[in-house]
Every structure is written in structure tokens, then in C-alpha cells.
Amino acid sequence: MGFTMAIDGPAGAGKSTIAKLVGEKLGLIYIDTGAMYRAVACYFVENNINPDDGEEVKKACDSIVITIDYYDGVQQVILNDRNVTPFLRGEETGKMASRVAKLGAVRSKLVSLQRDMADNGRIIMDGRDIGTCVFPGADIKIYLTASSAVRAKRRYDELVSKGVACNIDEIEKDIINRDYEDMHREISPLKKADDAICIDTSGMGISEVVDKLIEIYEEKNS
Ligand code: DC
């Protein structure tokens, strides 16, 4: 029987790390919907599509085919027969993803793809609108958040560990801007679903959050 766990929340709250681990422990297929918006962004950047030009956007949406594959259990995003997974996390792609995520044509295309992917399977899907729009009837809805200062520190540590020079105040400013964009767009803005369980991970470690989600799953299935 199908089972859906929806994980929503702002950028940097730890959604993908947590969802991946919970998925592994519970045997749920993990689907990262942010990567799908990033793949569309990749197409827009590579083909010089102007997100403000309705005609161009429509044409682009008609030409984009996104499929999801798994290699060794890791999600791969295939854009028009090309694996774009290694290009999705860049800064330029992230900024464009935030812009394309506002477009109705892009959202309806990806939402229908996301619904097809669930197709009666057992999935854990993370994003911004999973519990509110993609699966309003999800079995479990989690809203994962953390203060902007904590999210900036996590991002800062991640970049420093990769040897990337960065400024923590700039990172926090970017995070606050991204939150504003995601929460104030017209279509499917980021918000907690009324029946979602909110978890503030500011003072929590990864394993603590994973254990909490597993406890919620077990309670629901007991
Ligand atoms: O989670 P992320 O940073 O990879 O997401 C990239 C962008 O896509 C971000 O601006 C929010 C947007 N997004 C969205 O609008 N809806 C989703 N379900 C997932 C991501």
C-alpha cells in the first residue's frame, strides 16, 4: 500500500539530509523536489531563457523532460536525456531555481510529475509545498525549520569544510532573502500545513531529528 511522508521547510533546515536518512531507515524512496526545480533552472540558464517572458517560458516547459533515476540509492536528475545532477547545487542555479519556482507553468509541470512518481509507492518527499499542495492527504506531514542564524552557521561550516571562502553574515542575509521569496510568492508559497508537525531543529543534532521522525512514523503505524 502507498505511504507518503511530506517534509517541508525553509532552505537549510536540514530537510534533505534528514529525509534521506529517514528514508533509508524506513525503506521509503526519497524524492528531493528542490533538485527538480534546480534542473529546470539549469535548462533556463543553459538556454538563456528569460523567466519574465511568458512565451519563452511556455516553450521551455514544453521542451523540458525531467526523469528521476537512482544510482546506488542516490537520486539522479535526468534533463532531456542528460544527467545534470552534478550541476544542480551551484549558486547561479540556486538563484535561478528560486525564480523559476514562482512560475505557474513550471510548478504545474513538476507537481504532476511528483504525483506520478509517488504512484502508490512508499515515499518520503521534501520541498516547500509537499504537504500543502502536492500531497495534501499525505500520511505524515513534517515542517522542519531552524533559526536563520543556525541555518547560516550550518551552511558556513559546510562551505569552510570544502575550502570555500565565505562570510557568515552574507550567508544569513541570503537565507533571509530566500525565505522571503519562497514565503511570499503567489503560487504555492512555503507555509506550514495546518496538520503538519513542526520541528525546530535549531538545538538538535541530525540523529536526534531522525529519531524524532521515526518515533512519529512508529506512532502513526502502531
Ligand atoms: O530545496 P532547494 O534549495 O534545492 O530548492 C531550490 C528552489 O526551489 C528554492 O528556491 C525553493 C524551490 N522549491 C519549491 O518552490 N518547491 C519545492 N517543492 C521545492 C523547491
Side-chain angles (χ1 to χ4, degrees):
M1 209 177 70
F3 180 89
T4 309
M5 192 186 286
I7 315 278
D8 291 303
K15 297 185 299 294
S16 48
T17 307
I18 303 295
K20 207 179 298 167
L21 290 168
V22 170
E24 277 166 18
K25 293 209 178 203
L26 297 178
L28 307 172
I29 294 172
Y30 167 54
I31 302 168
D32 169 5
T33 63
M36 297 165 81
Y37 287 91
R38 285 171 182 268
V40 171
C42 206
Y43 183 93
F44 273 55
V45 171
E46 287 179 350
N47 294 281
N48 264 321
I49 312 281
N50 174 4
D52 298 323
D53 183 328
E55 272 301 305
E56 273 190 39
V57 169
K58 190 182 171 310
K59 241 168 70 190
C61 285
D62 289 341
S63 318
I64 292 174
V65 179
I66 291 178
T67 48
I68 302 291
D69 216 333
Y70 290 87
Y71 301 158
D72 293 328
V74 180
Q75 175 179 301
Q76 309 290 321
V77 185
I78 317 295
L79 170 68
N80 295 349
D81 292 328
R82 185 166 62 102
N83 188 345
V84 291
T85 314
F87 313 112
L88 300 182
R89 303 303 311 174
E91 211 46 45
E92 193 185 3
T93 313
K95 287 210 168 95
M96 182 59 95
S98 189
R99 291 183 72 191
V100 303
K102 289 184 186 154
L103 305 171
V106 172
R107 297 206 75 84
S108 54
K109 184 173 178 110
L110 294 188
V111 167
S112 88
L113 199 59
Q114 287 152 12
R115 289 184 180 143
D116 287 348
M117 286 166 74
D119 202 22
N120 264 337
R122 289 169 49 77
I123 60 152
I124 179 163
M125 187 178 274
D126 83 343
R128 306 291 192 287
D129 61 339
I130 311 306
T132 51
C133 165
V134 184
F135 296 114
D139 298 276
I140 295 175
K141 297 182 189 178
I142 306 289
Y143 189 83
L144 221 52
T145 186
S147 70
S148 59
V150 166
R151 288 183 284 137
K153 176 75 168 70
R154 287 177 186 160
R155 180 75 181 139
Y156 174 81
D157 290 345
E158 187 189 333
L159 290 171
V160 167
S161 75
K162 288 181 186 158
V164 179
C166 55
N167 174 310
I168 195 161
D169 295 331
E170 284 296 317
I171 295 175
E172 186 172 1
K173 220 164 68 190
D174 268 1
I175 282 180
I176 291 170
N177 283 340
R178 188 72 60 91
D179 287 355
Y180 186 89
E181 292 290 322
D182 288 342
M183 289 173 179
H184 292 85
R185 65 172 175 237
E186 224 167 280
I187 313 168
S188 305
L190 167 66
K191 69 174 172 116
K192 180 189 154 314
D194 292 340
D195 51 349
I197 300 167
C198 185
I199 301 175
D200 186 332
T201 69
S202 300
M204 293 170 86
I206 292 171
S207 59
E208 214 179 325
V209 184
V210 170
D211 288 349
K212 177 83 192 150
L213 262 59
I214 289 174
E215 192 185 303
I216 292 169
Y217 173 88
E218 282 168 352
E219 250 170 47
K220 170 94 189 170
N221 286 281
S222 63

